[in-house]
Amino acid sequence: MASKSIAKRPNGKWRARYRDLAGKEHARHFARKLDAERWLDEVTAALVTGNYVDPKDQKVTVDQWCNLWLETYARRESTERQARVHLARIRKEFGPLPLMAVDEMAVKRWTARLKREGLSQSYRFALHARLKQVLTDAVGARKLASNPCSRKTTPGAGKQRPYVATEAQLWALYEAAEEKYRPAILLGAFAGLRVAEACGLRVGDIDLDARVITPAVQYPAEPLKTEMSMTAIPIPDVFVGELKRLLDGRTDGWVVLDDDGAQLGPWKVERHMRRIRKQVAGLPKGFRFQDLRHFFASLLIASGADVKVVQHRVRHSSAKTTLDTYGHLWPDTDESTRAAVERCMGPMINKIADPLRTGEVSAEGPRSSGPE
């Protein structure tokens, strides 16, 4: 801070003034000198700690900041559309308020209200995460001193317990599907592709000779979200054979085609899934394409694949995500621990105990076979 001062005005008020780091002067008038000094002390502390917010910026509303934030949010169309949906909820609650008015209690009241409205925990978590993201950027832009969103205010992500179809259910679903949708189901259940990735897969992304699928884009032709999403997926001969049959000699274009030969959209695949799942006994009402990906992960885990292998096959960005989603599918750790200790202890304990069982060792020591 370049300078600060307090001076008494002719009308008896105390004028406190300071210059911020940009050299801009700010002033306020107080009835008491003590209040003027306290204000300058607070401003000085904010400047020193980096929590300073320009008085004009303190009036910026949540609505205004959301508009500014969206101007810099250059993402995929689908991602930006989702952000706008989240912001609509945020604006409904906080829109007219200054950013400075959104405190910890206000965030807690909001998440509690969302719960009473019946929103799922995962969606409440997503909304809170979006608010945190927006306010973090406001702090970075010096429009807000600190972010009120924290672990204290989050509703928590909840534990995912995906539905895993049986093999019989999976094949019943495959048989119920129209021919044009079968490539998508195959790619979801036996390669772990997401619905947008399946609809964005090109024939050229499949090397049938090397038996490898390498996703490169997602519907309609946008880049994948992460580098890990482009990890190659090995496929067996039986998978190659079925793909060849479904491709019917095609060597280019999209793998999943509509009746007119155009790229098939994810919404059509999901709509078809909702229709055919009713024909499969035991499938829950909420069964969706993403559950095919869960089926693929469960196959790998049941085969004995460790967490790192599963992570790379489902192309998660971290092993933590894999464990959070599928940790409950791995074999019971208590029994595997017992088995490991049993394998180590068993032979030696039996060797030690065997002389005792055969009478070769007594409490007085080993028996002698010769005369004393």
Side-chain angles (χ1 to χ4, degrees):
M1 187 161 58
S3 64
K4 63 177 181 178
S5 64
I6 298 176
K8 192 170 186 178
R9 307 293 292 168
N11 62 2
K13 293 289 184 72
W14 292 91
R15 180 176 183 268
R17 56 174 289 278
Y18 71 93
R19 290 185 182 276
D20 61 25
L21 297 174
K24 183 178 178 182
E25 183 177 291
H26 304 274
R28 281 186 62 181
H29 294 80
F30 298 88
R32 300 189 307 167
K33 184 178 182 181
L34 179 64
D35 295 332
E37 291 173 340
R38 182 181 294 115
W39 179 69
L40 282 181
D41 289 342
E42 291 173 355
V43 170
T44 301
L47 284 166
V48 170
T49 58
N51 293 326
Y52 176 76
V53 178
D54 188 292
K56 284 187 177 180
D57 290 334
Q58 293 178 15
K59 299 177 183 178
V60 173
T61 66
V62 173
D63 267 333
Q64 291 171 331
W65 176 246
C66 285
N67 291 335
L68 292 170
W69 185 83
L70 277 172
E71 290 178 5
T72 63
Y73 192 67
R75 299 291 191 277
R76 300 178 187 83
E77 182 181 347
S78 59
T79 305
E80 185 174 334
R81 183 166 58 249
Q82 184 184 57
R84 290 181 182 277
V85 171
H86 290 168
L87 290 182
R89 279 278 184 175
I90 293 171
R91 291 174 189 268
K92 181 180 177 182
E93 180 73 17
F94 304 111
L97 297 177
L99 285 169
M100 304 285 285
V102 183
D103 58 18
E104 186 176 294
M105 286 305 299
V107 176
K108 286 183 176 179
R109 285 195 299 270
W110 179 52
T111 55
R113 187 176 296 111
L114 294 176
K115 183 177 181 179
R116 289 194 296 271
E117 290 177 11
L119 272 65
S120 67
Q121 185 172 356
S122 61
Y123 192 52
R124 285 183 280 124
F125 178 79
L127 289 172
H128 180 275
R130 183 71 67 185
L131 178 63
K132 183 177 181 180
Q133 179 187 23
V134 170
L135 296 185
T136 295
D137 288 345
V139 173
R142 296 187 181 278
K143 306 294 182 184
L144 188 64
S146 62
N147 193 337
C149 296
S150 66
R151 296 176 70 177
K152 293 181 180 179
T153 61
T154 179
K159 292 185 177 180
Q160 288 184 300
R161 285 293 180 266
Y163 181 83
V164 177
T166 65
E167 291 184 24
Q169 288 174 328
L170 187 280
W171 287 119
L173 194 73
Y174 191 70
E175 291 177 4
E178 294 179 21
E179 188 77 3
K180 65 181 178 182
Y181 293 104
R182 287 187 174 182
I185 294 176
L186 201 69
L187 292 167
F190 297 105
L193 266 63
R194 303 168 178 89
V195 64
E197 294 170 343
C199 292
L201 192 70
R202 300 163 299 195
V203 177
D205 297 328
I206 305 174
D207 189 332
L208 295 175
D209 293 329
R211 300 180 300 167
V212 168
I213 295 174
T214 307
V217 296
Q218 62 181 349
Y219 182 88
E222 297 181 352
L224 296 176
K225 290 184 176 181
T226 65
E227 186 176 344
M228 179 64 84
S229 296
M230 295 184 282
T231 301
I233 307 163
I235 56 175
D237 290 331
V238 65
F239 194 150
V240 170
E242 181 65 359
L243 272 179
K244 284 183 177 179
R245 185 188 73 79
L246 293 170
L247 291 174
D248 194 25
R250 288 191 289 120
T251 58
D252 59 10
W254 307 106
V255 173
V256 185
L257 296 178
D258 212 338
D259 292 328
D260 58 1
Q263 184 182 22
L264 194 64
W267 63 92
K268 287 190 176 181
V269 175
E270 290 288 12
R271 186 170 59 192
H272 191 63
M273 288 286 293
R274 289 194 294 271
R275 184 170 66 81
I276 63 175
R277 72 189 179 199
K278 300 175 184 177
Q279 303 175 35
V280 180
L283 282 186
K285 185 178 180 181
F287 190 87
R288 53 190 181 141
F289 191 91
Q290 182 72 6
D291 290 305
L292 299 178
R293 182 170 157 84
H294 300 326
F295 176 85
F296 176 61
S298 74
L299 278 183
L300 301 180
I301 294 169
S303 73
D306 63 33
V307 64
K308 292 301 292 184
V309 171
V310 177
Q311 176 203 344
H312 280 80
R313 295 297 175 265
V314 298
R315 296 162 295 120
H316 279 154
S317 58
S318 71
K320 181 181 183 302
T321 302
T322 305
L323 285 171
D324 287 346
T325 308
Y326 302 117
H328 63 292
L329 296 179
W330 262 276
D332 180 76
T333 53
D334 290 344
E335 288 307 315
S336 60
T337 301
R338 291 188 182 105
V341 175
E342 179 79 19
R343 284 193 299 272
C344 179
M345 288 183 63
M348 183 56 68
I349 292 298
N350 289 335
K351 181 179 180 181
I352 294 172
D354 192 57
L356 290 172
R357 287 197 297 269
T358 59
E360 294 179 5
V361 178
S362 67
E364 291 78 16
R367 294 180 178 179
S368 174
S369 57
E372 294 185 3

PDB file of all heavy atoms in Angstrom, residues 50-61:
ATOM      1  N   GLY A  50      -3.082 -10.681   0.745  1.00  0.00           N
ATOM      2  CA  GLY A  50      -3.565 -11.009  -0.596  1.00  0.00           C
ATOM      3  C   GLY A  50      -5.057 -11.214  -0.659  1.00  0.00           C
ATOM      4  O   GLY A  50      -5.577 -11.708  -1.665  1.00  0.00           O
ATOM      5  N   ASN A  51      -5.790 -10.851   0.388  1.00  0.00           N
ATOM      6  CA  ASN A  51      -7.243 -11.016   0.427  1.00  0.00           C
ATOM      7  C   ASN A  51      -7.996  -9.732   0.083  1.00  0.00           C
ATOM      8  O   ASN A  51      -9.207  -9.645   0.297  1.00  0.00           O
ATOM      9  CB  ASN A  51      -7.693 -11.501   1.818  1.00  0.00           C
ATOM     10  CG  ASN A  51      -7.204 -12.902   2.101  1.00  0.00           C
ATOM     11  OD1 ASN A  51      -7.113 -13.728   1.202  1.00  0.00           O
ATOM     12  ND2 ASN A  51      -6.875 -13.170   3.351  1.00  0.00           N
ATOM     13  N   TYR A  52      -7.281  -8.775  -0.455  1.00  0.00           N
ATOM     14  CA  TYR A  52      -7.897  -7.482  -0.739  1.00  0.00           C
ATOM     15  C   TYR A  52      -8.858  -7.580  -1.926  1.00  0.00           C
ATOM     16  O   TYR A  52      -8.558  -8.204  -2.947  1.00  0.00           O
ATOM     17  CB  TYR A  52      -6.828  -6.442  -1.037  1.00  0.00           C
ATOM     18  CG  TYR A  52      -7.381  -5.084  -1.444  1.00  0.00           C
ATOM     19  CD1 TYR A  52      -7.913  -4.229  -0.490  1.00  0.00           C
ATOM     20  CD2 TYR A  52      -7.367  -4.683  -2.773  1.00  0.00           C
ATOM     21  CE1 TYR A  52      -8.426  -2.994  -0.855  1.00  0.00           C
ATOM     22  CE2 TYR A  52      -7.869  -3.449  -3.145  1.00  0.00           C
ATOM     23  CZ  TYR A  52      -8.394  -2.611  -2.179  1.00  0.00           C
ATOM     24  OH  TYR A  52      -8.911  -1.386  -2.552  1.00  0.00           O
ATOM     25  N   VAL A  53     -10.028  -6.959  -1.779  1.00  0.00           N
ATOM     26  CA  VAL A  53     -11.012  -6.856  -2.852  1.00  0.00           C
ATOM     27  C   VAL A  53     -11.367  -5.397  -3.033  1.00  0.00           C
ATOM     28  O   VAL A  53     -11.720  -4.708  -2.067  1.00  0.00           O
ATOM     29  CB  VAL A  53     -12.297  -7.659  -2.530  1.00  0.00           C
ATOM     30  CG1 VAL A  53     -13.325  -7.493  -3.647  1.00  0.00           C
ATOM     31  CG2 VAL A  53     -11.965  -9.133  -2.330  1.00  0.00           C
ATOM     32  N   ASP A  54     -11.250  -4.923  -4.265  1.00  0.00           N
ATOM     33  CA  ASP A  54     -11.577  -3.536  -4.563  1.00  0.00           C
ATOM     34  C   ASP A  54     -13.026  -3.241  -4.140  1.00  0.00           C
ATOM     35  O   ASP A  54     -13.917  -4.065  -4.378  1.00  0.00           O
ATOM     36  CB  ASP A  54     -11.412  -3.280  -6.067  1.00  0.00           C
ATOM     37  CG  ASP A  54     -11.539  -1.811  -6.424  1.00  0.00           C
ATOM     38  OD1 ASP A  54     -12.654  -1.262  -6.302  1.00  0.00           O
ATOM     39  OD2 ASP A  54     -10.528  -1.215  -6.833  1.00  0.00           O
ATOM     40  N   PRO A  55     -13.279  -2.093  -3.487  1.00  0.00           N
ATOM     41  CA  PRO A  55     -14.637  -1.767  -3.051  1.00  0.00           C
ATOM     42  C   PRO A  55     -15.681  -1.875  -4.154  1.00  0.00           C
ATOM     43  O   PRO A  55     -16.818  -2.287  -3.905  1.00  0.00           O
ATOM     44  CB  PRO A  55     -14.499  -0.325  -2.548  1.00  0.00           C
ATOM     45  CG  PRO A  55     -13.091  -0.248  -2.076  1.00  0.00           C
ATOM     46  CD  PRO A  55     -12.303  -1.083  -3.033  1.00  0.00           C
ATOM     47  N   LYS A  56     -15.319  -1.522  -5.389  1.00  0.00           N
ATOM     48  CA  LYS A  56     -16.273  -1.640  -6.491  1.00  0.00           C
ATOM     49  C   LYS A  56     -16.604  -3.102  -6.774  1.00  0.00           C
ATOM     50  O   LYS A  56     -17.748  -3.447  -7.060  1.00  0.00           O
ATOM     51  CB  LYS A  56     -15.701  -0.985  -7.749  1.00  0.00           C
ATOM     52  CG  LYS A  56     -15.738   0.538  -7.735  1.00  0.00           C
ATOM     53  CD  LYS A  56     -15.324   1.085  -9.085  1.00  0.00           C
ATOM     54  CE  LYS A  56     -15.426   2.618  -9.104  1.00  0.00           C
ATOM     55  NZ  LYS A  56     -15.016   3.170 -10.426  1.00  0.00           N
ATOM     56  N   ASP A  57     -15.580  -3.959  -6.669  1.00  0.00           N
ATOM     57  CA  ASP A  57     -15.795  -5.375  -6.937  1.00  0.00           C
ATOM     58  C   ASP A  57     -16.609  -6.046  -5.842  1.00  0.00           C
ATOM     59  O   ASP A  57     -17.202  -7.105  -6.065  1.00  0.00           O
ATOM     60  CB  ASP A  57     -14.451  -6.089  -7.081  1.00  0.00           C
ATOM     61  CG  ASP A  57     -13.725  -5.688  -8.360  1.00  0.00           C
ATOM     62  OD1 ASP A  57     -14.409  -5.291  -9.324  1.00  0.00           O
ATOM     63  OD2 ASP A  57     -12.479  -5.761  -8.392  1.00  0.00           O
ATOM     64  N   GLN A  58     -16.643  -5.445  -4.659  1.00  0.00           N
ATOM     65  CA  GLN A  58     -17.442  -6.004  -3.579  1.00  0.00           C
ATOM     66  C   GLN A  58     -18.931  -5.936  -3.879  1.00  0.00           C
ATOM     67  O   GLN A  58     -19.732  -6.610  -3.249  1.00  0.00           O
ATOM     68  CB  GLN A  58     -17.133  -5.268  -2.272  1.00  0.00           C
ATOM     69  CG  GLN A  58     -15.723  -5.503  -1.755  1.00  0.00           C
ATOM     70  CD  GLN A  58     -15.434  -4.721  -0.482  1.00  0.00           C
ATOM     71  OE1 GLN A  58     -16.343  -4.218   0.180  1.00  0.00           O
ATOM     72  NE2 GLN A  58     -14.164  -4.625  -0.116  1.00  0.00           N
ATOM     73  N   LYS A  59     -19.302  -5.142  -4.867  1.00  0.00           N
ATOM     74  CA  LYS A  59     -20.707  -5.009  -5.242  1.00  0.00           C
ATOM     75  C   LYS A  59     -21.109  -5.963  -6.369  1.00  0.00           C
ATOM     76  O   LYS A  59     -22.279  -6.037  -6.739  1.00  0.00           O
ATOM     77  CB  LYS A  59     -20.987  -3.560  -5.678  1.00  0.00           C
ATOM     78  CG  LYS A  59     -20.735  -2.533  -4.583  1.00  0.00           C
ATOM     79  CD  LYS A  59     -20.950  -1.125  -5.104  1.00  0.00           C
ATOM     80  CE  LYS A  59     -20.630  -0.081  -4.025  1.00  0.00           C
ATOM     81  NZ  LYS A  59     -20.799   1.310  -4.527  1.00  0.00           N
ATOM     82  N   VAL A  60     -20.136  -6.680  -6.935  1.00  0.00           N
ATOM     83  CA  VAL A  60     -20.435  -7.613  -8.026  1.00  0.00           C
ATOM     84  C   VAL A  60     -21.357  -8.718  -7.518  1.00  0.00           C
ATOM     85  O   VAL A  60     -21.075  -9.356  -6.508  1.00  0.00           O
ATOM     86  CB  VAL A  60     -19.135  -8.229  -8.595  1.00  0.00           C
ATOM     87  CG1 VAL A  60     -19.457  -9.325  -9.617  1.00  0.00           C
ATOM     88  CG2 VAL A  60     -18.280  -7.150  -9.230  1.00  0.00           C
ATOM     89  N   THR A  61     -22.463  -8.947  -8.230  1.00  0.00           N
ATOM     90  CA  THR A  61     -23.415  -9.973  -7.816  1.00  0.00           C
ATOM     91  C   THR A  61     -23.026 -11.335  -8.386  1.00  0.00           C
ATOM     92  O   THR A  61     -22.211 -11.449  -9.307  1.00  0.00           O
ATOM     93  CB  THR A  61     -24.840  -9.628  -8.282  1.00  0.00           C
ATOM     94  OG1 THR A  61     -24.882  -9.684  -9.723  1.00  0.00           O
ATOM     95  CG2 THR A  61     -25.252  -8.252  -7.806  1.00  0.00           C
TER      96      THR A  61
END
